[in-house]
Amino acid sequence: MATKVIAGMLFGLLAIVATYLAGAFTGVHMSASQWMVSALVAWLLGAAVFTALGLMMGYLVPGENAMQLTSLVIVFLAFIGGLFYPVSMMPQVLQDVAAWTPVYGIGELSRAPLTGAGFDLAALLNVLLWLALFVAGTALLFRRDTKRV
């Protein structure tokens, strides 16, 4: 399990480094502290949440289906959570739903250093709640899976 968590976190780090390099080479301008804080938040919180989600899905569905289903869930959460376009441009009902998704909290915290929005306790609680739910789900499904062996 620890190896899977480390691998998930490293893949998350690679995705963030690639995204930030693309931003740097296409004209995104931030101070060094903004780059570091937003990258660390995205990595430490975002990769942890989605690593836990991926592990949970891996124990929930057969192995050959886990990646496809996890990818669909993440894309759906990213769409509803406001990563593809600002939540403020969504219909009100989707704005209300967005604030309850794990992607919303990660996005808000990751963008805060750039936008100057400041620390958002509700976004942090959102992320920590989803992380706890996915970790608990992974633990329960792992126990169920190992009982069958």
Side-chain angles (χ1 to χ4, degrees), residues 18-80:
T19 301
Y20 279 59
L21 284 174
F25 288 122
T26 57
V28 174
H29 299 287
M30 295 190 289
S31 69
S33 64
Q34 288 173 316
W35 284 103
M36 292 302 293
V37 171
S38 65
L40 283 172
V41 167
W43 179 51
L44 294 176
L45 295 177
V49 168
F50 290 108
T51 295
L53 171 62
L55 288 171
M56 186 178 84
M57 296 298 285
Y59 288 115
L60 185 63
V61 299
E64 61 272 6
N65 300 334
M67 185 62 184
Q68 293 88 348
L69 185 57
T70 303
S71 295
L72 285 172
V73 168
I74 290 172
V75 169
F76 176 75
L77 290 173
F79 177 76
I80 296 297

Side-chain angles (χ1 to χ4, degrees), residues 1-143:
M1 178 77 71
T3 303
K4 291 177 183 179
V5 171
I6 291 168
M9 294 297 288
L10 289 176
F11 278 118
L13 180 60
L14 287 174
I16 290 165
V17 168
T19 301
Y20 279 59
L21 284 174
F25 288 122
T26 57
V28 174
H29 299 287
M30 295 190 289
S31 69
S33 64
Q34 288 173 316
W35 284 103
M36 292 302 293
V37 171
S38 65
L40 283 172
V41 167
W43 179 51
L44 294 176
L45 295 177
V49 168
F50 290 108
T51 295
L53 171 62
L55 288 171
M56 186 178 84
M57 296 298 285
Y59 288 115
L60 185 63
V61 299
E64 61 272 6
N65 300 334
M67 185 62 184
Q68 293 88 348
L69 185 57
T70 303
S71 295
L72 285 172
V73 168
I74 290 172
V75 169
F76 176 75
L77 290 173
F79 177 76
I80 296 297
L83 284 190
F84 292 134
Y85 60 94
V87 173
S88 61
M89 293 177 62
M90 296 179 181
Q92 187 60 48
V93 68
L94 289 181
Q95 289 181 33
D96 296 339
V97 171
W100 293 96
T101 66
V103 174
Y104 177 82
I106 294 165
E108 290 295 306
L109 293 171
S110 297
R111 286 188 294 264
L114 176 61
T115 63
F119 178 74
D120 185 350
L121 180 60
L124 179 62
L125 292 174
N126 167 294
V127 173
L128 294 177
L129 175 65
W130 281 106
L131 179 60
L133 288 172
F134 292 151
V135 167
T138 301
L140 288 170
L141 292 167
F142 175 76
R143 286 189 200 125

